[in-house]
Amino acid sequence: MKNEQYFTAESLAIAGGYDATTAHNSIKPPIYQTSTFKFNTAEEGKAFFQKATGEAPLEERNASLIYTRLNHPNAITAEYRLAKLDGAEDAAFFESGMAAISTTLLTFCNAGDLILMSTPLYGGTDAFIKKHLVNFGIDYVEFDPSDSKEQIKEKLMAHQNAKKLKVIYVETPANPTLALTDISALDELRQEINQEGIHPVIVADNTYMGPIFQKPIAHGADINVYSATKYIGGHSDIIAGAASGKDIYLKEIKKKRAILGNTASPFTSWLLSRSLETIGLRMEKQAANAAKLADFLAGHPQVEKLHFLGTLTEEDADYTLYKRQYTSAGAMMAVEIKGGESEAFRFLNALQLVQLAISLGSTETLASHPYTMSSSNMDEADRLKSGITPNLVRISVGIENPEDIIKDVKQALNAV
């Protein structure tokens, strides 16, 4: 697009990353359902391979189309749009969120290296680090979101491989408890340990807030990762993952992605481009609905505790961080039902409009039981330590009529 510097990311997410004149002036990009791309000459093929795997600028790499496992036009469009929304230099899409997370970690970590990670993490991420990466000689140190910078540094430096820290991995808000971690404080910590010869990258899982309500790169993160299945896809019809950030890091992530073979397909990428056009509208509506549902749940006799960023007050420890790091409370919440697992199950089984399913960030409201579902692959002690209890229900608020959502939740609570 000409003069793109004059337009905002909100507009470029709709109109950017695609030149209609290359496809018979079609307003929307076609799906490039091809496995390979024709070279005009052998010399061009040689040059394309040199650019695709070398140090060529991003625009030249994107123009050097070779094979769909490496790159393709639909990925280029989707990645351009996400990068603009994230304030990033480049982005990469994958065939699942775990593909994005695992590829990113494998890009920067080798045997003997260390990961410093917040808790809790999404159950799949937790299991990948603790039960799979450890088998490759990659260790980890955990910290609690409430830990101070000094406490985190103390935990890190107590590990025998502290000098080999390669990744600081943070998920904020945490899934499913919505615990907040200060990304700027981690960047300050990183600057301190840089002076001791330790040079990690900061990776932030931004799935809960999407590219709309939190900008981790602006607070010191190098790389965002997402389950793009969630708000970026937003319609429960895509499985995808994403990473965005500085070009120097995304270049390496894309090299690893090509070797692992988990680049998002043309159709997946096309759907993601479609969804990115409406992500702002969807997330604003979901957040507005969530605020109304939270007002209803706050103080309800069957609710032991409500976890929702919009209910934080100046008396809460996370309030200042919330106001500084986020532009909205988002549409995720967790509710501790009075009782235990049986009471939580009675609530879930009584829902009618709200769908009982894992995943989040979609147009429909979803409810699930993290303790036995999305976080069940975490060790029980880790779940309980992180506040993932048998009576905890996670709710992802959709775009239905908010009064209908409240009506359904109300009758389900009455059934407990």
Side-chain angles (χ1 to χ4, degrees), residues 379-411:
D379 291 338
E380 183 179 23
D382 287 342
R383 279 177 278 168
L384 295 176
K385 178 185 69 175
S386 299
I388 305 172
T389 55
N391 68 329
L392 186 77
V393 170
R394 186 183 74 184
I395 300 177
S396 169
V397 182
I399 64 171
E400 303 96 337
N401 183 302
E403 298 306 318
D404 287 335
I405 299 171
I406 293 170
K407 187 188 305 180
D408 191 32
V409 170
K410 180 178 180 180
Q411 65 83 23

PDB file of all heavy atoms in Angstrom, residues 379-411:
ATOM      1  N   ASP A 379       0.822 -30.846  36.988  1.00  0.00           N
ATOM      2  CA  ASP A 379       0.827 -31.605  38.231  1.00  0.00           C
ATOM      3  C   ASP A 379      -0.187 -30.992  39.192  1.00  0.00           C
ATOM      4  O   ASP A 379      -0.365 -29.762  39.226  1.00  0.00           O
ATOM      5  CB  ASP A 379       2.215 -31.592  38.868  1.00  0.00           C
ATOM      6  CG  ASP A 379       3.232 -32.393  38.058  1.00  0.00           C
ATOM      7  OD1 ASP A 379       2.799 -33.262  37.276  1.00  0.00           O
ATOM      8  OD2 ASP A 379       4.440 -32.141  38.217  1.00  0.00           O
ATOM      9  N   GLU A 380      -0.844 -31.837  39.977  1.00  0.00           N
ATOM     10  CA  GLU A 380      -1.884 -31.338  40.874  1.00  0.00           C
ATOM     11  C   GLU A 380      -1.347 -30.276  41.828  1.00  0.00           C
ATOM     12  O   GLU A 380      -2.001 -29.258  42.075  1.00  0.00           O
ATOM     13  CB  GLU A 380      -2.497 -32.491  41.671  1.00  0.00           C
ATOM     14  CG  GLU A 380      -3.638 -32.035  42.582  1.00  0.00           C
ATOM     15  CD  GLU A 380      -4.265 -33.174  43.362  1.00  0.00           C
ATOM     16  OE1 GLU A 380      -3.576 -34.201  43.558  1.00  0.00           O
ATOM     17  OE2 GLU A 380      -5.429 -33.037  43.774  1.00  0.00           O
ATOM     18  N   ALA A 381      -0.148 -30.493  42.358  1.00  0.00           N
ATOM     19  CA  ALA A 381       0.429 -29.524  43.290  1.00  0.00           C
ATOM     20  C   ALA A 381       0.615 -28.170  42.622  1.00  0.00           C
ATOM     21  O   ALA A 381       0.381 -27.119  43.242  1.00  0.00           O
ATOM     22  CB  ALA A 381       1.769 -30.040  43.821  1.00  0.00           C
ATOM     23  N   ASP A 382       1.019 -28.171  41.346  1.00  0.00           N
ATOM     24  CA  ASP A 382       1.200 -26.913  40.623  1.00  0.00           C
ATOM     25  C   ASP A 382      -0.137 -26.226  40.384  1.00  0.00           C
ATOM     26  O   ASP A 382      -0.234 -24.991  40.459  1.00  0.00           O
ATOM     27  CB  ASP A 382       1.895 -27.167  39.289  1.00  0.00           C
ATOM     28  CG  ASP A 382       3.369 -27.503  39.444  1.00  0.00           C
ATOM     29  OD1 ASP A 382       3.930 -27.223  40.518  1.00  0.00           O
ATOM     30  OD2 ASP A 382       3.953 -28.051  38.491  1.00  0.00           O
ATOM     31  N   ARG A 383      -1.170 -27.009  40.084  1.00  0.00           N
ATOM     32  CA  ARG A 383      -2.489 -26.417  39.883  1.00  0.00           C
ATOM     33  C   ARG A 383      -2.966 -25.716  41.151  1.00  0.00           C
ATOM     34  O   ARG A 383      -3.392 -24.556  41.117  1.00  0.00           O
ATOM     35  CB  ARG A 383      -3.498 -27.494  39.466  1.00  0.00           C
ATOM     36  CG  ARG A 383      -3.456 -27.864  37.992  1.00  0.00           C
ATOM     37  CD  ARG A 383      -4.425 -28.992  37.678  1.00  0.00           C
ATOM     38  NE  ARG A 383      -3.846 -30.294  38.003  1.00  0.00           N
ATOM     39  CZ  ARG A 383      -4.513 -31.418  38.048  1.00  0.00           C
ATOM     40  NH1 ARG A 383      -5.820 -31.436  37.823  1.00  0.00           N
ATOM     41  NH2 ARG A 383      -3.910 -32.552  38.338  1.00  0.00           N
ATOM     42  N   LEU A 384      -2.905 -26.427  42.247  1.00  0.00           N
ATOM     43  CA  LEU A 384      -3.411 -25.873  43.501  1.00  0.00           C
ATOM     44  C   LEU A 384      -2.584 -24.677  43.958  1.00  0.00           C
ATOM     45  O   LEU A 384      -3.124 -23.677  44.437  1.00  0.00           O
ATOM     46  CB  LEU A 384      -3.421 -26.961  44.574  1.00  0.00           C
ATOM     47  CG  LEU A 384      -4.387 -28.132  44.306  1.00  0.00           C
ATOM     48  CD1 LEU A 384      -4.238 -29.203  45.386  1.00  0.00           C
ATOM     49  CD2 LEU A 384      -5.827 -27.639  44.231  1.00  0.00           C
ATOM     50  N   LYS A 385      -1.267 -24.763  43.791  1.00  0.00           N
ATOM     51  CA  LYS A 385      -0.388 -23.657  44.169  1.00  0.00           C
ATOM     52  C   LYS A 385      -0.720 -22.392  43.387  1.00  0.00           C
ATOM     53  O   LYS A 385      -0.618 -21.276  43.900  1.00  0.00           O
ATOM     54  CB  LYS A 385       1.071 -24.058  43.916  1.00  0.00           C
ATOM     55  CG  LYS A 385       2.091 -22.967  44.217  1.00  0.00           C
ATOM     56  CD  LYS A 385       3.498 -23.403  43.819  1.00  0.00           C
ATOM     57  CE  LYS A 385       3.622 -23.506  42.307  1.00  0.00           C
ATOM     58  NZ  LYS A 385       5.020 -23.803  41.873  1.00  0.00           N
ATOM     59  N   SER A 386      -1.144 -22.579  42.141  1.00  0.00           N
ATOM     60  CA  SER A 386      -1.437 -21.438  41.270  1.00  0.00           C
ATOM     61  C   SER A 386      -2.882 -20.961  41.374  1.00  0.00           C
ATOM     62  O   SER A 386      -3.275 -20.038  40.662  1.00  0.00           O
ATOM     63  CB  SER A 386      -1.129 -21.817  39.818  1.00  0.00           C
ATOM     64  OG  SER A 386       0.230 -22.153  39.657  1.00  0.00           O
ATOM     65  N   GLY A 387      -3.686 -21.600  42.219  1.00  0.00           N
ATOM     66  CA  GLY A 387      -5.076 -21.178  42.366  1.00  0.00           C
ATOM     67  C   GLY A 387      -6.028 -21.817  41.383  1.00  0.00           C
ATOM     68  O   GLY A 387      -7.166 -21.361  41.231  1.00  0.00           O
ATOM     69  N   ILE A 388      -5.563 -22.871  40.700  1.00  0.00           N
ATOM     70  CA  ILE A 388      -6.440 -23.608  39.785  1.00  0.00           C
ATOM     71  C   ILE A 388      -7.083 -24.731  40.590  1.00  0.00           C
ATOM     72  O   ILE A 388      -6.544 -25.834  40.705  1.00  0.00           O
ATOM     73  CB  ILE A 388      -5.646 -24.151  38.578  1.00  0.00           C
ATOM     74  CG1 ILE A 388      -4.901 -23.005  37.894  1.00  0.00           C
ATOM     75  CG2 ILE A 388      -6.587 -24.835  37.582  1.00  0.00           C
ATOM     76  CD1 ILE A 388      -3.935 -23.455  36.818  1.00  0.00           C
ATOM     77  N   THR A 389      -8.216 -24.426  41.172  1.00  0.00           N
ATOM     78  CA  THR A 389      -8.859 -25.296  42.145  1.00  0.00           C
ATOM     79  C   THR A 389     -10.055 -26.027  41.521  1.00  0.00           C
ATOM     80  O   THR A 389     -10.549 -25.642  40.462  1.00  0.00           O
ATOM     81  CB  THR A 389      -9.331 -24.464  43.347  1.00  0.00           C
ATOM     82  OG1 THR A 389     -10.169 -23.402  42.867  1.00  0.00           O
ATOM     83  CG2 THR A 389      -8.138 -23.863  44.083  1.00  0.00           C
ATOM     84  N   PRO A 390     -10.551 -27.081  42.204  1.00  0.00           N
ATOM     85  CA  PRO A 390     -11.693 -27.838  41.654  1.00  0.00           C
ATOM     86  C   PRO A 390     -12.980 -27.038  41.512  1.00  0.00           C
ATOM     87  O   PRO A 390     -13.882 -27.452  40.774  1.00  0.00           O
ATOM     88  CB  PRO A 390     -11.860 -28.984  42.660  1.00  0.00           C
ATOM     89  CG  PRO A 390     -10.510 -29.173  43.267  1.00  0.00           C
ATOM     90  CD  PRO A 390      -9.947 -27.782  43.369  1.00  0.00           C
ATOM     91  N   ASN A 391     -13.093 -25.911  42.207  1.00  0.00           N
ATOM     92  CA  ASN A 391     -14.330 -25.123  42.112  1.00  0.00           C
ATOM     93  C   ASN A 391     -14.196 -23.941  41.153  1.00  0.00           C
ATOM     94  O   ASN A 391     -15.098 -23.108  41.056  1.00  0.00           O
ATOM     95  CB  ASN A 391     -14.758 -24.628  43.495  1.00  0.00           C
ATOM     96  CG  ASN A 391     -13.801 -23.600  44.080  1.00  0.00           C
ATOM     97  OD1 ASN A 391     -12.603 -23.639  43.811  1.00  0.00           O
ATOM     98  ND2 ASN A 391     -14.325 -22.698  44.892  1.00  0.00           N
ATOM     99  N   LEU A 392     -13.091 -23.875  40.416  1.00  0.00           N
ATOM    100  CA  LEU A 392     -12.848 -22.753  39.516  1.00  0.00           C
ATOM    101  C   LEU A 392     -13.446 -23.026  38.134  1.00  0.00           C
ATOM    102  O   LEU A 392     -13.186 -24.063  37.529  1.00  0.00           O
ATOM    103  CB  LEU A 392     -11.343 -22.492  39.379  1.00  0.00           C
ATOM    104  CG  LEU A 392     -10.948 -21.242  38.580  1.00  0.00           C
ATOM    105  CD1 LEU A 392     -11.155 -19.988  39.419  1.00  0.00           C
ATOM    106  CD2 LEU A 392      -9.494 -21.340  38.119  1.00  0.00           C
ATOM    107  N   VAL A 393     -14.219 -22.085  37.635  1.00  0.00           N
ATOM    108  CA  VAL A 393     -14.807 -22.151  36.293  1.00  0.00           C
ATOM    109  C   VAL A 393     -14.272 -20.980  35.479  1.00  0.00           C
ATOM    110  O   VAL A 393     -14.271 -19.836  35.956  1.00  0.00           O
ATOM    111  CB  VAL A 393     -16.349 -22.083  36.353  1.00  0.00           C
ATOM    112  CG1 VAL A 393     -16.942 -21.897  34.955  1.00  0.00           C
ATOM    113  CG2 VAL A 393     -16.909 -23.339  37.004  1.00  0.00           C
ATOM    114  N   ARG A 394     -13.798 -21.261  34.264  1.00  0.00           N
ATOM    115  CA  ARG A 394     -13.325 -20.199  33.375  1.00  0.00           C
ATOM    116  C   ARG A 394     -14.432 -19.831  32.402  1.00  0.00           C
ATOM    117  O   ARG A 394     -15.085 -20.712  31.835  1.00  0.00           O
ATOM    118  CB  ARG A 394     -12.095 -20.673  32.605  1.00  0.00           C
ATOM    119  CG  ARG A 394     -11.434 -19.580  31.756  1.00  0.00           C
ATOM    120  CD  ARG A 394     -10.263 -20.130  30.965  1.00  0.00           C
ATOM    121  NE  ARG A 394     -10.702 -20.951  29.843  1.00  0.00           N
ATOM    122  CZ  ARG A 394      -9.876 -21.624  29.029  1.00  0.00           C
ATOM    123  NH1 ARG A 394      -8.586 -21.590  29.252  1.00  0.00           N
ATOM    124  NH2 ARG A 394     -10.355 -22.339  28.031  1.00  0.00           N
ATOM    125  N   ILE A 395     -14.632 -18.528  32.208  1.00  0.00           N
ATOM    126  CA  ILE A 395     -15.656 -18.051  31.277  1.00  0.00           C
ATOM    127  C   ILE A 395     -15.017 -17.098  30.275  1.00  0.00           C
ATOM    128  O   ILE A 395     -14.344 -16.132  30.655  1.00  0.00           O
ATOM    129  CB  ILE A 395     -16.810 -17.337  32.015  1.00  0.00           C
ATOM    130  CG1 ILE A 395     -17.480 -18.284  33.011  1.00  0.00           C
ATOM    131  CG2 ILE A 395     -17.834 -16.804  31.010  1.00  0.00           C
ATOM    132  CD1 ILE A 395     -18.581 -17.627  33.843  1.00  0.00           C
ATOM    133  N   SER A 396     -15.230 -17.383  29.005  1.00  0.00           N
ATOM    134  CA  SER A 396     -14.828 -16.501  27.912  1.00  0.00           C
ATOM    135  C   SER A 396     -16.100 -15.892  27.347  1.00  0.00           C
ATOM    136  O   SER A 396     -16.944 -16.593  26.788  1.00  0.00           O
ATOM    137  CB  SER A 396     -14.081 -17.304  26.834  1.00  0.00           C
ATOM    138  OG  SER A 396     -13.903 -16.530  25.664  1.00  0.00           O
ATOM    139  N   VAL A 397     -16.253 -14.598  27.505  1.00  0.00           N
ATOM    140  CA  VAL A 397     -17.508 -13.935  27.159  1.00  0.00           C
ATOM    141  C   VAL A 397     -17.528 -13.593  25.664  1.00  0.00           C
ATOM    142  O   VAL A 397     -16.564 -13.054  25.113  1.00  0.00           O
ATOM    143  CB  VAL A 397     -17.715 -12.670  28.004  1.00  0.00           C
ATOM    144  CG1 VAL A 397     -19.049 -12.011  27.662  1.00  0.00           C
ATOM    145  CG2 VAL A 397     -17.666 -13.017  29.498  1.00  0.00           C
ATOM    146  N   GLY A 398     -18.652 -13.907  25.011  1.00  0.00           N
ATOM    147  CA  GLY A 398     -18.803 -13.691  23.582  1.00  0.00           C
ATOM    148  C   GLY A 398     -19.557 -12.421  23.250  1.00  0.00           C
ATOM    149  O   GLY A 398     -19.607 -11.479  24.051  1.00  0.00           O
ATOM    150  N   ILE A 399     -20.191 -12.424  22.075  1.00  0.00           N
ATOM    151  CA  ILE A 399     -20.841 -11.202  21.582  1.00  0.00           C
ATOM    152  C   ILE A 399     -22.364 -11.307  21.561  1.00  0.00           C
ATOM    153  O   ILE A 399     -23.044 -10.493  20.949  1.00  0.00           O
ATOM    154  CB  ILE A 399     -20.330 -10.841  20.176  1.00  0.00           C
ATOM    155  CG1 ILE A 399     -20.701 -11.928  19.148  1.00  0.00           C
ATOM    156  CG2 ILE A 399     -18.824 -10.603  20.176  1.00  0.00           C
ATOM    157  CD1 ILE A 399     -20.400 -11.527  17.696  1.00  0.00           C
ATOM    158  N   GLU A 400     -22.927 -12.307  22.265  1.00  0.00           N
ATOM    159  CA  GLU A 400     -24.379 -12.431  22.328  1.00  0.00           C
ATOM    160  C   GLU A 400     -24.980 -11.223  23.066  1.00  0.00           C
ATOM    161  O   GLU A 400     -24.247 -10.394  23.631  1.00  0.00           O
ATOM    162  CB  GLU A 400     -24.782 -13.714  23.077  1.00  0.00           C
ATOM    163  CG  GLU A 400     -24.216 -15.003  22.491  1.00  0.00           C
ATOM    164  CD  GLU A 400     -22.948 -15.461  23.174  1.00  0.00           C
ATOM    165  OE1 GLU A 400     -22.261 -14.605  23.790  1.00  0.00           O
ATOM    166  OE2 GLU A 400     -22.623 -16.651  23.081  1.00  0.00           O
ATOM    167  N   ASN A 401     -26.279 -11.162  23.102  1.00  0.00           N
ATOM    168  CA  ASN A 401     -26.944 -10.139  23.911  1.00  0.00           C
ATOM    169  C   ASN A 401     -26.520 -10.339  25.378  1.00  0.00           C
ATOM    170  O   ASN A 401     -26.688 -11.422  25.930  1.00  0.00           O
ATOM    171  CB  ASN A 401     -28.467 -10.279  23.785  1.00  0.00           C
ATOM    172  CG  ASN A 401     -29.207  -9.187  24.539  1.00  0.00           C
ATOM    173  OD1 ASN A 401     -29.039  -9.021  25.737  1.00  0.00           O
ATOM    174  ND2 ASN A 401     -30.029  -8.450  23.822  1.00  0.00           N
ATOM    175  N   PRO A 402     -25.956  -9.315  26.013  1.00  0.00           N
ATOM    176  CA  PRO A 402     -25.445  -9.500  27.375  1.00  0.00           C
ATOM    177  C   PRO A 402     -26.512  -9.908  28.379  1.00  0.00           C
ATOM    178  O   PRO A 402     -26.225 -10.656  29.326  1.00  0.00           O
ATOM    179  CB  PRO A 402     -24.832  -8.138  27.716  1.00  0.00           C
ATOM    180  CG  PRO A 402     -25.491  -7.176  26.780  1.00  0.00           C
ATOM    181  CD  PRO A 402     -25.734  -7.947  25.526  1.00  0.00           C
ATOM    182  N   GLU A 403     -27.738  -9.455  28.177  1.00  0.00           N
ATOM    183  CA  GLU A 403     -28.802  -9.825  29.106  1.00  0.00           C
ATOM    184  C   GLU A 403     -29.120 -11.320  29.003  1.00  0.00           C
ATOM    185  O   GLU A 403     -29.469 -11.962  30.001  1.00  0.00           O
ATOM    186  CB  GLU A 403     -30.057  -8.992  28.834  1.00  0.00           C
ATOM    187  CG  GLU A 403     -29.855  -7.489  29.038  1.00  0.00           C
ATOM    188  CD  GLU A 403     -29.285  -7.158  30.412  1.00  0.00           C
ATOM    189  OE1 GLU A 403     -29.732  -7.772  31.408  1.00  0.00           O
ATOM    190  OE2 GLU A 403     -28.378  -6.307  30.486  1.00  0.00           O
ATOM    191  N   ASP A 404     -28.977 -11.884  27.816  1.00  0.00           N
ATOM    192  CA  ASP A 404     -29.186 -13.323  27.663  1.00  0.00           C
ATOM    193  C   ASP A 404     -28.081 -14.121  28.345  1.00  0.00           C
ATOM    194  O   ASP A 404     -28.338 -15.171  28.948  1.00  0.00           O
ATOM    195  CB  ASP A 404     -29.249 -13.685  26.180  1.00  0.00           C
ATOM    196  CG  ASP A 404     -30.541 -13.231  25.518  1.00  0.00           C
ATOM    197  OD1 ASP A 404     -31.547 -13.079  26.238  1.00  0.00           O
ATOM    198  OD2 ASP A 404     -30.532 -13.024  24.286  1.00  0.00           O
ATOM    199  N   ILE A 405     -26.835 -13.636  28.243  1.00  0.00           N
ATOM    200  CA  ILE A 405     -25.721 -14.305  28.922  1.00  0.00           C
ATOM    201  C   ILE A 405     -25.973 -14.316  30.429  1.00  0.00           C
ATOM    202  O   ILE A 405     -25.846 -15.344  31.096  1.00  0.00           O
ATOM    203  CB  ILE A 405     -24.383 -13.609  28.602  1.00  0.00           C
ATOM    204  CG1 ILE A 405     -24.090 -13.650  27.099  1.00  0.00           C
ATOM    205  CG2 ILE A 405     -23.242 -14.269  29.373  1.00  0.00           C
ATOM    206  CD1 ILE A 405     -22.895 -12.801  26.688  1.00  0.00           C
ATOM    207  N   ILE A 406     -26.347 -13.141  30.953  1.00  0.00           N
ATOM    208  CA  ILE A 406     -26.596 -13.031  32.392  1.00  0.00           C
ATOM    209  C   ILE A 406     -27.767 -13.924  32.807  1.00  0.00           C
ATOM    210  O   ILE A 406     -27.708 -14.611  33.838  1.00  0.00           O
ATOM    211  CB  ILE A 406     -26.872 -11.556  32.764  1.00  0.00           C
ATOM    212  CG1 ILE A 406     -25.603 -10.725  32.572  1.00  0.00           C
ATOM    213  CG2 ILE A 406     -27.390 -11.442  34.204  1.00  0.00           C
ATOM    214  CD1 ILE A 406     -25.825  -9.228  32.667  1.00  0.00           C
ATOM    215  N   LYS A 407     -28.828 -13.946  32.018  1.00  0.00           N
ATOM    216  CA  LYS A 407     -29.990 -14.781  32.316  1.00  0.00           C
ATOM    217  C   LYS A 407     -29.601 -16.256  32.419  1.00  0.00           C
ATOM    218  O   LYS A 407     -30.034 -16.979  33.320  1.00  0.00           O
ATOM    219  CB  LYS A 407     -31.045 -14.592  31.223  1.00  0.00           C
ATOM    220  CG  LYS A 407     -32.381 -15.279  31.476  1.00  0.00           C
ATOM    221  CD  LYS A 407     -33.283 -15.201  30.241  1.00  0.00           C
ATOM    222  CE  LYS A 407     -33.470 -13.777  29.772  1.00  0.00           C
ATOM    223  NZ  LYS A 407     -34.353 -13.691  28.567  1.00  0.00           N
ATOM    224  N   ASP A 408     -28.748 -16.698  31.489  1.00  0.00           N
ATOM    225  CA  ASP A 408     -28.335 -18.097  31.484  1.00  0.00           C
ATOM    226  C   ASP A 408     -27.434 -18.418  32.676  1.00  0.00           C
ATOM    227  O   ASP A 408     -27.605 -19.446  33.340  1.00  0.00           O
ATOM    228  CB  ASP A 408     -27.606 -18.415  30.177  1.00  0.00           C
ATOM    229  CG  ASP A 408     -27.388 -19.906  29.986  1.00  0.00           C
ATOM    230  OD1 ASP A 408     -28.243 -20.690  30.441  1.00  0.00           O
ATOM    231  OD2 ASP A 408     -26.375 -20.287  29.374  1.00  0.00           O
ATOM    232  N   VAL A 409     -26.479 -17.541  32.952  1.00  0.00           N
ATOM    233  CA  VAL A 409     -25.586 -17.756  34.092  1.00  0.00           C
ATOM    234  C   VAL A 409     -26.383 -17.737  35.399  1.00  0.00           C
ATOM    235  O   VAL A 409     -26.121 -18.548  36.315  1.00  0.00           O
ATOM    236  CB  VAL A 409     -24.464 -16.692  34.096  1.00  0.00           C
ATOM    237  CG1 VAL A 409     -23.673 -16.755  35.403  1.00  0.00           C
ATOM    238  CG2 VAL A 409     -23.529 -16.909  32.908  1.00  0.00           C
ATOM    239  N   LYS A 410     -27.358 -16.879  35.490  1.00  0.00           N
ATOM    240  CA  LYS A 410     -28.182 -16.779  36.700  1.00  0.00           C
ATOM    241  C   LYS A 410     -28.935 -18.081  36.949  1.00  0.00           C
ATOM    242  O   LYS A 410     -28.909 -18.620  38.075  1.00  0.00           O
ATOM    243  CB  LYS A 410     -29.168 -15.629  36.561  1.00  0.00           C
ATOM    244  CG  LYS A 410     -30.075 -15.437  37.779  1.00  0.00           C
ATOM    245  CD  LYS A 410     -31.002 -14.248  37.586  1.00  0.00           C
ATOM    246  CE  LYS A 410     -31.901 -14.057  38.807  1.00  0.00           C
ATOM    247  NZ  LYS A 410     -32.816 -12.886  38.633  1.00  0.00           N
ATOM    248  N   GLN A 411     -29.583 -18.651  35.915  1.00  0.00           N
ATOM    249  CA  GLN A 411     -30.336 -19.877  36.132  1.00  0.00           C
ATOM    250  C   GLN A 411     -29.400 -21.048  36.422  1.00  0.00           C
ATOM    251  O   GLN A 411     -29.771 -21.961  37.184  1.00  0.00           O
ATOM    252  CB  GLN A 411     -31.255 -20.166  34.936  1.00  0.00           C
ATOM    253  CG  GLN A 411     -30.570 -20.468  33.605  1.00  0.00           C
ATOM    254  CD  GLN A 411     -30.140 -21.909  33.463  1.00  0.00           C
ATOM    255  OE1 GLN A 411     -30.690 -22.792  34.132  1.00  0.00           O
ATOM    256  NE2 GLN A 411     -29.153 -22.137  32.611  1.00  0.00           N
TER     257      GLN A 411
END
